[in-house]
Amino acid sequence: MPRNQQIVLEQRPQGAATVDNFRLVTSDTPPLAEGQVLVRHHYLSLDPYMRGRMNDSKSYAASQPLGEVMMGGTVGEVIESRHPQYAVGDKVVGMGGWQEYSVVDGGAPGLLRKVDASQVPLSYYLGAVGMPGVTAWYGLTQIIEPQPGQTLTVSAATGAVGSAFAALAKARGCRVVGIAGGPLKCAYAVDELGFDACIDHRAHGDLKAMSQALKAACPHGIDGHFENVGGYLLDAVLLRANAFARVALCGMIAGYDGQPLPLLNPALLLINRMRVQGFIVSEHMQFWPQALQELAGLVVAGRLRPRETVAQGLASAPEAFLGLLQGKNVGKQLVKLV
Ligand code: NDP
């Protein structure tokens, strides 16, 4: 059995995460028991939610245990199988974690899913046609419930979730305005992702500047907003929201290091009779097949072809993860392992 490089959580962050929070170890892959499969990971997914799991605080999901392999989504290939439903060579997506190989119980529901990499690139099953894509789909269709011609906004617009949101919202005939960090990301949003406009939050770094930019980009106000960041961006959106606007509260990455994110003017929720709803995509598994089907269709049709930022080798994962939290990624942040 192959030797397996792994990254474990060494210590919990105090404030911002650092590379010292992680440790690279090597172990032997155990021999397979009946019903198990051995997967060689091709790509590891890095996601903002992992920052929350590094804390030992109350949340919707259990904390990442210290000394154990960091949890995370993976795509790879079955290289040995003692389960009748999996054959050597099958491409699979699962939660293999920050390591090169994983041994998986092939019969356990939801742990491993076979995927077809002939029309959709394998790595996309961690992004556009994976959990981030479904996240965008759920918030858009089940919370924002857009009508053609409405104006929608999304923060972290060029990331894994934001880029899928743009394609899904454009497919429903909406005007879609993104908020992203820096002129290059904003140009990419408009030129490649199909956004109608994109506002650079680095050039509009306070509430007044952001709300003015939103007014210019959304002349008919905002009917639906998909929030990934929080803080003054959300305050600015509320100032421009139309009556009965909906907000899908997906992430608040501006506060993941523990900063409070107070809402400046919650009376706007009442004045605008708004609906604001938080959600966790893994609690809505019944929608995944429908969402994945639409997302795959957009990819195959060439209407959702987001960029990826790919770090090389498992040892690069901590640095790449910190870069994701700082906005250094464009599109889905991955680590290539093969
Ligand atoms: P992204 O690929 O969008 O990467 C994170 C991005 O957040 C960065 O690139 C950066 O983009 C932006 N960002 C980071 N810090 C700040 C800040 N202080 N102010 C403004 N922008 C910031 O990640 P994902 O697409 O994977 O995730 C997007 C959001 O969705 C996250 O909040 C995540 O936690 C959430 N999420 C929630 C799920 C759920 O079930 N509720 C499931 C999956 C994701 P930029 O440079 O443009 O600012």
Side-chain angles (χ1 to χ4, degrees):
M1 301 294 280
R3 295 281 284 166
N4 188 15
Q5 283 207 324
Q6 305 169 309
I7 291 180
V8 300
L9 181 63
E10 176 75 353
Q11 39 173 252
R12 302 203 186 278
Q14 308 294 325
T18 71
V19 288
D20 296 333
N21 299 142
F22 306 94
R23 184 161 53 94
L24 183 68
V25 300
T26 305
S27 71
D28 288 319
T29 313
L32 295 189
E34 197 56 40
Q36 291 183 325
V37 296
L38 177 63
V39 181
R40 185 176 190 194
H41 302 153
H42 288 206
Y43 290 94
L44 162 67
S45 173
L46 296 178
D47 297 88
Y49 75 81
M50 294 165 173
R51 174 64 191 84
R53 301 268 176 103
M54 292 170 75
N55 293 342
D56 194 11
S57 52
K58 182 175 178 292
S59 185
Y60 61 88
S63 296
Q64 162 76 43
L66 280 176
E68 290 191 14
V69 176
M70 284 288 295
M71 58 189 88
T74 46
V75 285
E77 182 174 352
V78 173
I79 58 168
E80 196 183 328
S81 177
R82 294 191 63 188
H83 191 283
Q85 278 165 17
Y86 293 94
V88 170
D90 282 348
K91 301 291 188 298
V92 287
V93 60
M95 286 295 288
W98 294 30
Q99 55 184 342
E100 294 173 310
Y101 299 88
S102 59
V103 173
V104 188
D105 177 358
L111 286 189
L112 215 54
R113 184 166 54 91
K114 278 197 244 186
V115 294
D116 176 5
S118 64
Q119 294 196 69
V120 172
L122 187 59
S123 58
Y124 271 34
Y125 288 101
L126 296 175
V129 188
M131 184 276 284
V134 179
T135 300
W137 186 96
Y138 183 85
L140 176 71
T141 66
Q142 303 303 303
I143 298 175
I144 294 177
E145 297 181 315
Q147 296 297 316
Q150 290 191 328
T151 299
L152 311 185
T153 49
V154 56
S155 49
T158 61
V161 175
S163 48
F165 182 86
L168 292 164
K170 287 309 296 178
R172 287 163 176 77
C174 297
R175 173 173 176 79
V176 194
V177 175
I179 301 171
L184 292 180
K185 284 192 180 183
C186 278
Y188 162 61
V190 173
D191 296 344
E192 295 182 39
L193 293 177
F195 281 94
D196 295 288
C198 182
I199 301 167
D200 176 2
H201 67 77
R202 298 189 198 283
H204 300 86
D206 59 39
L207 176 59
K208 192 171 170 210
M210 180 53 69
S211 72
Q212 280 173 351
L214 281 169
K215 187 178 183 184
C218 308
H220 302 295
I222 297 170
D223 302 298
H225 175 64
F226 192 100
E227 185 56 87
N228 285 323
V229 172
Y232 80 98
L233 301 185
L234 182 54
D235 284 323
V237 167
L238 294 189
L239 279 175
R240 297 292 160 213
N242 290 331
F244 305 106
R246 290 81 59 201
V247 175
L249 209 48
C250 172
M252 301 206 109
I253 196 168
Y256 285 4
D257 287 336
Q259 310 89 317
L261 295 176
L263 197 58
L264 197 65
N265 197 351
L268 290 168
L269 303 176
L270 172 62
I271 293 165
N272 292 324
R273 290 87 82 205
M274 291 177 67
R275 175 180 172 207
V276 180
Q277 190 176 327
F279 71 100
I280 298 299
V281 70
S282 53
E283 293 176 341
H284 304 281
M285 296 308 292
Q286 73 275 25
F287 291 102
W288 282 52
Q290 184 187 353
L292 290 171
Q293 192 178 12
E294 181 178 351
L295 291 157
L298 288 171
V299 168
V300 171
R303 293 161 68 194
L304 175 57
R305 283 277 169 176
R307 291 190 205 169
E308 300 169 327
T309 300
V310 184
Q312 300 293 328
L314 188 70
S316 69
E319 201 73 63
F321 177 61
L322 303 183
L324 167 75
L325 296 175
Q326 295 157 8
K328 290 183 181 162
N329 62 309
V330 180
K332 177 70 206 162
Q333 178 68 59
L334 299 164
V335 181
K336 193 170 189 321
L337 301 174
V338 172

